[in-house]
Amino acid sequence: MNEKLKELIRFGIVGVISTLMQYAIYYLLLPYMDERIALTIGYIISFCCNYIMTTHFTFRVKATTKNAGGFAFSHLVNWGLQVISLSSFIWLGVPKEWAPIPMYMVCVPLNFLLVRFFVKR
């Protein structure tokens, strides 16, 4: 199997785990706070786990300060896109509990490209 395809599959596995973790935290916190804050808390927690899984499992590279900085930058961009798209889907009438689902459909493919660029270069 092509190495790029294997990376994409591993990225999918890590992404599903991280996304489920973020969504579960968001969903549990949603009754107690603003949706953007709940999303951010879930994002920060899943971000930490995601970095470890991405370096060791997805791209099989050593965790370094350089790729951690790139990973953090790409995820800062991704977090911004998530907040904007979450707010947009809620504004369009998607219930707060379900708005992360179309948000992930927009943000996950973009995040793969950003993370791959910063972690693999």
Side-chain angles (χ1 to χ4, degrees):
M1 190 183 294
N2 180 327
E3 185 57 32
K4 289 191 190 288
L5 181 58
K6 288 179 186 177
E7 277 182 359
L8 183 60
I9 292 168
R10 291 190 303 262
F11 178 84
I13 293 167
V14 169
V16 166
I17 292 167
S18 297
T19 301
L20 289 174
M21 181 185 304
Q22 181 188 3
Y23 183 72
I25 294 166
Y26 167 84
Y27 192 83
L28 291 171
L29 294 177
L30 192 57
Y32 307 104
M33 60 189 63
D34 180 80
E35 64 274 358
R36 291 172 298 256
I37 295 170
L39 181 80
T40 300
I41 292 170
Y43 197 91
I44 291 168
I45 294 168
S46 71
F47 168 84
C48 296
C49 297
N50 192 339
Y51 176 69
I52 293 166
M53 291 186 292
T54 296
T55 54
H56 295 300
F57 177 67
T58 303
F59 297 117
R60 298 183 178 170
V61 297
K62 183 178 179 182
T64 66
T65 304
K66 185 178 178 181
N67 67 22
F71 189 83
F73 175 75
S74 66
H75 275 272
L76 183 61
V77 171
N78 187 49
W79 169 79
L81 290 170
Q82 284 194 9
V83 170
I84 291 167
S85 62
L86 178 77
S87 298
S88 298
F89 285 116
I90 291 170
W91 181 80
L92 289 170
V94 178
K96 291 179 183 182
E97 296 80 12
W98 298 105
I101 294 171
M103 174 201 72
Y104 291 132
M105 295 170 79
V106 170
C107 295
V108 167
L110 296 172
N111 189 47
F112 172 76
L113 297 173
L114 285 170
V115 169
R116 187 175 192 290
F117 174 76
F118 284 110
V119 173
K120 289 282 290 204
R121 70 176 186 171

